[in-house]
mmCIF file of all heavy atoms in Angstrom:
data_model
loop_
_atom_site.group_PDB
_atom_site.id
_atom_site.type_symbol
_atom_site.label_atom_id
_atom_site.label_comp_id
_atom_site.label_asym_id
_atom_site.label_seq_id
_atom_site.Cartn_x
_atom_site.Cartn_y
_atom_site.Cartn_z
ATOM 1 N N ARG A 1 0.564 -20.545 -8.501
ATOM 2 C CA ARG A 1 0.544 -20.327 -7.053
ATOM 3 C C ARG A 1 1.181 -18.986 -6.647
ATOM 4 O O ARG A 1 0.640 -18.260 -5.813
ATOM 5 C CB ARG A 1 1.262 -21.480 -6.356
ATOM 6 C CG ARG A 1 1.393 -21.293 -4.850
ATOM 7 C CD ARG A 1 2.246 -22.383 -4.198
ATOM 8 N NE ARG A 1 2.545 -22.031 -2.826
ATOM 9 C CZ ARG A 1 1.756 -22.259 -1.793
ATOM 10 N NH1 ARG A 1 0.595 -22.874 -1.976
ATOM 11 N NH2 ARG A 1 2.098 -21.889 -0.570
ATOM 12 N N ALA A 2 2.312 -18.649 -7.228
ATOM 13 C CA ALA A 2 3.030 -17.428 -6.844
ATOM 14 C C ALA A 2 2.209 -16.173 -7.142
ATOM 15 O O ALA A 2 2.299 -15.172 -6.423
ATOM 16 C CB ALA A 2 4.365 -17.361 -7.566
ATOM 17 N N GLN A 3 1.407 -16.200 -8.197
ATOM 18 C CA GLN A 3 0.583 -15.053 -8.558
ATOM 19 C C GLN A 3 -0.747 -15.044 -7.811
ATOM 20 O O GLN A 3 -1.340 -13.994 -7.599
ATOM 21 C CB GLN A 3 0.300 -15.072 -10.070
ATOM 22 C CG GLN A 3 1.551 -14.981 -10.922
ATOM 23 C CD GLN A 3 1.258 -15.293 -12.377
ATOM 24 O OE1 GLN A 3 1.274 -16.455 -12.799
ATOM 25 N NE2 GLN A 3 0.985 -14.249 -13.140
ATOM 26 N N CYS A 4 -1.177 -16.225 -7.392
ATOM 27 C CA CYS A 4 -2.516 -16.377 -6.808
ATOM 28 C C CYS A 4 -2.534 -16.111 -5.304
ATOM 29 O O CYS A 4 -3.474 -15.518 -4.784
ATOM 30 C CB CYS A 4 -3.042 -17.783 -7.098
ATOM 31 S SG CYS A 4 -4.719 -18.075 -6.492
ATOM 32 N N THR A 5 -1.515 -16.556 -4.581
ATOM 33 C CA THR A 5 -1.539 -16.460 -3.119
ATOM 34 C C THR A 5 -0.154 -16.160 -2.554
ATOM 35 O O THR A 5 0.866 -16.487 -3.174
ATOM 36 C CB THR A 5 -2.070 -17.771 -2.502
ATOM 37 O OG1 THR A 5 -2.089 -17.641 -1.084
ATOM 38 C CG2 THR A 5 -1.195 -18.950 -2.884
ATOM 39 N N LYS A 6 -0.156 -15.545 -1.375
ATOM 40 C CA LYS A 6 1.087 -15.267 -0.658
ATOM 41 C C LYS A 6 1.241 -16.207 0.537
ATOM 42 O O LYS A 6 2.065 -15.961 1.416
ATOM 43 C CB LYS A 6 1.102 -13.820 -0.181
ATOM 44 C CG LYS A 6 1.151 -12.807 -1.318
ATOM 45 C CD LYS A 6 1.182 -11.396 -0.774
ATOM 46 C CE LYS A 6 1.211 -10.380 -1.928
ATOM 47 N NZ LYS A 6 1.211 -8.989 -1.421
ATOM 48 N N ALA A 7 0.447 -17.268 0.552
ATOM 49 C CA ALA A 7 0.518 -18.229 1.654
ATOM 50 C C ALA A 7 1.862 -18.955 1.650
ATOM 51 O O ALA A 7 2.492 -19.137 0.606
ATOM 52 C CB ALA A 7 -0.625 -19.239 1.545
ATOM 53 N N ARG A 8 2.303 -19.350 2.834
ATOM 54 C CA ARG A 8 3.570 -20.054 2.947
ATOM 55 C C ARG A 8 3.488 -21.429 2.293
ATOM 56 O O ARG A 8 2.403 -21.960 2.063
ATOM 57 C CB ARG A 8 3.941 -20.216 4.420
ATOM 58 C CG ARG A 8 4.200 -18.902 5.140
ATOM 59 C CD ARG A 8 4.531 -19.155 6.593
ATOM 60 N NE ARG A 8 4.776 -17.906 7.307
ATOM 61 C CZ ARG A 8 5.027 -17.832 8.598
ATOM 62 N NH1 ARG A 8 5.063 -18.963 9.327
ATOM 63 N NH2 ARG A 8 5.231 -16.665 9.173
ATOM 64 N N GLU A 9 4.674 -21.975 2.013
ATOM 65 C CA GLU A 9 4.742 -23.304 1.407
ATOM 66 C C GLU A 9 4.062 -24.327 2.335
ATOM 67 O O GLU A 9 4.286 -24.349 3.538
ATOM 68 C CB GLU A 9 6.200 -23.712 1.196
ATOM 69 C CG GLU A 9 6.901 -22.939 0.096
ATOM 70 C CD GLU A 9 6.315 -23.213 -1.282
ATOM 71 O OE1 GLU A 9 5.782 -24.333 -1.482
ATOM 72 O OE2 GLU A 9 6.376 -22.324 -2.145
ATOM 73 N N GLY A 10 3.234 -25.160 1.705
ATOM 74 C CA GLY A 10 2.493 -26.153 2.483
ATOM 75 C C GLY A 10 1.089 -25.707 2.828
ATOM 76 O O GLY A 10 0.245 -26.532 3.192
ATOM 77 N N ASN A 11 0.819 -24.380 2.724
ATOM 78 C CA ASN A 11 -0.527 -23.866 2.970
ATOM 79 C C ASN A 11 -1.223 -23.594 1.648
ATOM 80 O O ASN A 11 -0.582 -23.243 0.660
ATOM 81 C CB ASN A 11 -0.475 -22.579 3.796
ATOM 82 C CG ASN A 11 0.069 -22.815 5.189
ATOM 83 O OD1 ASN A 11 0.017 -23.936 5.701
ATOM 84 N ND2 ASN A 11 0.597 -21.767 5.802
ATOM 85 N N ASN A 12 -2.525 -23.747 1.645
ATOM 86 C CA ASN A 12 -3.321 -23.570 0.432
ATOM 87 C C ASN A 12 -4.022 -22.210 0.433
ATOM 88 O O ASN A 12 -4.135 -21.549 1.467
ATOM 89 C CB ASN A 12 -4.359 -24.682 0.316
ATOM 90 C CG ASN A 12 -3.724 -26.061 0.202
ATOM 91 O OD1 ASN A 12 -2.711 -26.240 -0.493
ATOM 92 N ND2 ASN A 12 -4.278 -27.054 0.879
ATOM 93 N N ARG A 13 -4.499 -21.828 -0.752
ATOM 94 C CA ARG A 13 -5.226 -20.558 -0.908
ATOM 95 C C ARG A 13 -6.543 -20.629 -0.135
ATOM 96 O O ARG A 13 -7.297 -21.596 -0.244
ATOM 97 C CB ARG A 13 -5.509 -20.286 -2.402
ATOM 98 C CG ARG A 13 -6.409 -19.089 -2.669
ATOM 99 C CD ARG A 13 -5.709 -17.790 -2.370
ATOM 100 N NE ARG A 13 -6.612 -16.642 -2.464
ATOM 101 C CZ ARG A 13 -6.805 -15.933 -3.575
ATOM 102 N NH1 ARG A 13 -6.175 -16.248 -4.688
ATOM 103 N NH2 ARG A 13 -7.606 -14.890 -3.564
ATOM 104 N N ARG A 14 -6.798 -19.555 0.651
ATOM 105 C CA ARG A 14 -8.029 -19.490 1.436
ATOM 106 C C ARG A 14 -8.799 -18.223 1.062
ATOM 107 O O ARG A 14 -8.227 -17.200 0.711
ATOM 108 C CB ARG A 14 -7.726 -19.482 2.937
ATOM 109 C CG ARG A 14 -7.004 -20.725 3.407
ATOM 110 C CD ARG A 14 -6.600 -20.599 4.870
ATOM 111 N NE ARG A 14 -7.750 -20.684 5.749
ATOM 112 C CZ ARG A 14 -7.702 -20.491 7.073
ATOM 113 N NH1 ARG A 14 -6.543 -20.198 7.635
ATOM 114 N NH2 ARG A 14 -8.777 -20.605 7.806
ATOM 115 N N ILE A 15 -10.116 -18.330 1.157
ATOM 116 C CA ILE A 15 -10.997 -17.193 0.888
ATOM 117 C C ILE A 15 -11.830 -16.930 2.146
ATOM 118 O O ILE A 15 -12.445 -17.855 2.696
ATOM 119 C CB ILE A 15 -11.939 -17.476 -0.300
ATOM 120 C CG1 ILE A 15 -11.141 -17.702 -1.587
ATOM 121 C CG2 ILE A 15 -12.926 -16.335 -0.483
ATOM 122 C CD1 ILE A 15 -12.005 -18.168 -2.744
ATOM 123 N N LEU A 16 -11.823 -15.671 2.589
ATOM 124 C CA LEU A 16 -12.698 -15.254 3.690
ATOM 125 C C LEU A 16 -13.853 -14.473 3.078
ATOM 126 O O LEU A 16 -13.670 -13.366 2.577
ATOM 127 C CB LEU A 16 -11.933 -14.402 4.691
ATOM 128 C CG LEU A 16 -10.764 -15.078 5.415
ATOM 129 C CD1 LEU A 16 -10.076 -14.097 6.342
ATOM 130 C CD2 LEU A 16 -11.251 -16.280 6.196
ATOM 131 N N TYR A 17 -15.033 -15.075 3.106
ATOM 132 C CA TYR A 17 -16.205 -14.503 2.439
ATOM 133 C C TYR A 17 -17.195 -14.001 3.494
ATOM 134 O O TYR A 17 -17.750 -14.789 4.261
ATOM 135 C CB TYR A 17 -16.860 -15.561 1.553
ATOM 136 C CG TYR A 17 -17.999 -15.052 0.698
ATOM 137 C CD1 TYR A 17 -17.747 -14.413 -0.508
ATOM 138 C CD2 TYR A 17 -19.325 -15.219 1.100
ATOM 139 C CE1 TYR A 17 -18.786 -13.950 -1.292
ATOM 140 C CE2 TYR A 17 -20.369 -14.764 0.324
ATOM 141 C CZ TYR A 17 -20.097 -14.124 -0.876
ATOM 142 O OH TYR A 17 -21.117 -13.670 -1.654
ATOM 143 N N ASN A 18 -17.363 -12.672 3.539
ATOM 144 C CA ASN A 18 -18.317 -12.059 4.470
ATOM 145 C C ASN A 18 -19.651 -11.903 3.756
ATOM 146 O O ASN A 18 -19.840 -10.992 2.945
ATOM 147 C CB ASN A 18 -17.783 -10.697 4.944
ATOM 148 C CG ASN A 18 -18.628 -10.108 6.055
ATOM 149 O OD1 ASN A 18 -19.789 -10.470 6.238
ATOM 150 N ND2 ASN A 18 -18.041 -9.190 6.800
ATOM 151 N N GLU A 19 -20.559 -12.795 4.039
ATOM 152 C CA GLU A 19 -21.823 -12.845 3.308
ATOM 153 C C GLU A 19 -22.643 -11.568 3.491
ATOM 154 O O GLU A 19 -23.191 -11.026 2.528
ATOM 155 C CB GLU A 19 -22.630 -14.068 3.778
ATOM 156 C CG GLU A 19 -23.795 -14.401 2.871
ATOM 157 C CD GLU A 19 -24.422 -15.748 3.219
ATOM 158 O OE1 GLU A 19 -24.006 -16.350 4.225
ATOM 159 O OE2 GLU A 19 -25.316 -16.175 2.485
ATOM 160 N N ARG A 20 -22.718 -11.080 4.723
ATOM 161 C CA ARG A 20 -23.520 -9.876 4.982
ATOM 162 C C ARG A 20 -22.920 -8.667 4.262
ATOM 163 O O ARG A 20 -23.657 -7.858 3.683
ATOM 164 C CB ARG A 20 -23.570 -9.607 6.483
ATOM 165 C CG ARG A 20 -24.288 -8.311 6.831
ATOM 166 C CD ARG A 20 -24.265 -8.037 8.321
ATOM 167 N NE ARG A 20 -25.207 -8.868 9.034
ATOM 168 C CZ ARG A 20 -25.493 -8.716 10.324
ATOM 169 N NH1 ARG A 20 -24.870 -7.784 11.021
ATOM 170 N NH2 ARG A 20 -26.359 -9.504 10.925
ATOM 171 N N TRP A 21 -21.602 -8.534 4.289
ATOM 172 C CA TRP A 21 -20.949 -7.419 3.621
ATOM 173 C C TRP A 21 -21.170 -7.469 2.122
ATOM 174 O O TRP A 21 -21.421 -6.422 1.476
ATOM 175 C CB TRP A 21 -19.463 -7.428 3.951
ATOM 176 C CG TRP A 21 -18.628 -6.415 3.245
ATOM 177 C CD1 TRP A 21 -17.536 -6.650 2.473
ATOM 178 C CD2 TRP A 21 -18.794 -4.988 3.256
ATOM 179 N NE1 TRP A 21 -17.004 -5.478 2.013
ATOM 180 C CE2 TRP A 21 -17.753 -4.426 2.470
ATOM 181 C CE3 TRP A 21 -19.723 -4.138 3.842
ATOM 182 C CZ2 TRP A 21 -17.626 -3.072 2.260
ATOM 183 C CZ3 TRP A 21 -19.592 -2.765 3.632
ATOM 184 C CH2 TRP A 21 -18.557 -2.251 2.848
ATOM 185 N N GLU A 22 -21.115 -8.645 1.526
ATOM 186 C CA GLU A 22 -21.350 -8.776 0.086
ATOM 187 C C GLU A 22 -22.787 -8.415 -0.265
ATOM 188 O O GLU A 22 -23.053 -7.803 -1.310
ATOM 189 C CB GLU A 22 -21.033 -10.204 -0.371
ATOM 190 C CG GLU A 22 -19.565 -10.597 -0.244
ATOM 191 C CD GLU A 22 -18.640 -9.724 -1.072
ATOM 192 O OE1 GLU A 22 -19.074 -9.232 -2.136
ATOM 193 O OE2 GLU A 22 -17.486 -9.521 -0.661
ATOM 194 N N GLN A 23 -23.736 -8.772 0.605
ATOM 195 C CA GLN A 23 -25.132 -8.401 0.374
ATOM 196 C C GLN A 23 -25.313 -6.886 0.451
ATOM 197 O O GLN A 23 -26.053 -6.291 -0.345
ATOM 198 C CB GLN A 23 -26.029 -9.097 1.399
ATOM 199 C CG GLN A 23 -26.156 -10.598 1.206
ATOM 200 C CD GLN A 23 -26.885 -11.269 2.353
ATOM 201 O OE1 GLN A 23 -27.239 -10.631 3.340
ATOM 202 N NE2 GLN A 23 -27.120 -12.565 2.221
ATOM 203 N N GLN A 24 -24.639 -6.268 1.410
ATOM 204 C CA GLN A 24 -24.723 -4.811 1.541
ATOM 205 C C GLN A 24 -24.124 -4.116 0.330
ATOM 206 O O GLN A 24 -24.672 -3.109 -0.149
ATOM 207 C CB GLN A 24 -24.006 -4.367 2.814
ATOM 208 C CG GLN A 24 -24.718 -4.760 4.094
ATOM 209 C CD GLN A 24 -23.892 -4.485 5.336
ATOM 210 O OE1 GLN A 24 -22.683 -4.267 5.254
ATOM 211 N NE2 GLN A 24 -24.534 -4.505 6.491
ATOM 212 N N LYS A 25 -23.031 -4.638 -0.181
ATOM 213 C CA LYS A 25 -22.417 -4.056 -1.373
ATOM 214 C C LYS A 25 -23.345 -4.185 -2.583
ATOM 215 O O LYS A 25 -23.496 -3.238 -3.371
ATOM 216 C CB LYS A 25 -21.080 -4.741 -1.654
ATOM 217 C CG LYS A 25 -19.968 -4.332 -0.693
ATOM 218 C CD LYS A 25 -18.774 -5.268 -0.749
ATOM 219 C CE LYS A 25 -18.106 -5.258 -2.095
ATOM 220 N NZ LYS A 25 -16.892 -6.123 -2.115
ATOM 221 N N ALA A 26 -23.973 -5.328 -2.713
ATOM 222 C CA ALA A 26 -24.903 -5.534 -3.823
ATOM 223 C C ALA A 26 -26.100 -4.586 -3.713
ATOM 224 O O ALA A 26 -26.570 -4.029 -4.725
ATOM 225 C CB ALA A 26 -25.373 -6.991 -3.833
ATOM 226 N N TYR A 27 -26.585 -4.383 -2.492
ATOM 227 C CA TYR A 27 -27.710 -3.467 -2.250
ATOM 228 C C TYR A 27 -27.324 -2.039 -2.609
ATOM 229 O O TYR A 27 -28.103 -1.301 -3.231
ATOM 230 C CB TYR A 27 -28.119 -3.578 -0.784
ATOM 231 C CG TYR A 27 -29.230 -2.648 -0.363
ATOM 232 C CD1 TYR A 27 -30.489 -2.707 -0.954
ATOM 233 C CD2 TYR A 27 -29.013 -1.701 0.639
ATOM 234 C CE1 TYR A 27 -31.497 -1.848 -0.550
ATOM 235 C CE2 TYR A 27 -30.023 -0.844 1.040
ATOM 236 C CZ TYR A 27 -31.267 -0.922 0.447
ATOM 237 O OH TYR A 27 -32.270 -0.078 0.836
#
């Protein structure tokens, strides 16, 4: 947990995935 996320205790790791941006990067 300490290496994976900086979220406070009690909060879980979250991912914000911008689908359009990832498609543009792939293009």
Side-chain angles (χ1 to χ4, degrees):
R1 175 186 169 84
Q3 299 168 273
C4 183
T5 180
K6 294 181 181 179
R8 296 179 180 177
E9 289 295 332
N11 295 337
N12 298 320
R13 173 71 187 269
R14 299 174 72 186
I15 298 172
L16 297 178
Y17 186 82
N18 188 339
E19 194 170 6
R20 175 183 284 188
W21 175 236
E22 295 299 329
Q23 290 172 356
Q24 290 172 344
K25 286 165 63 177
Y27 177 60

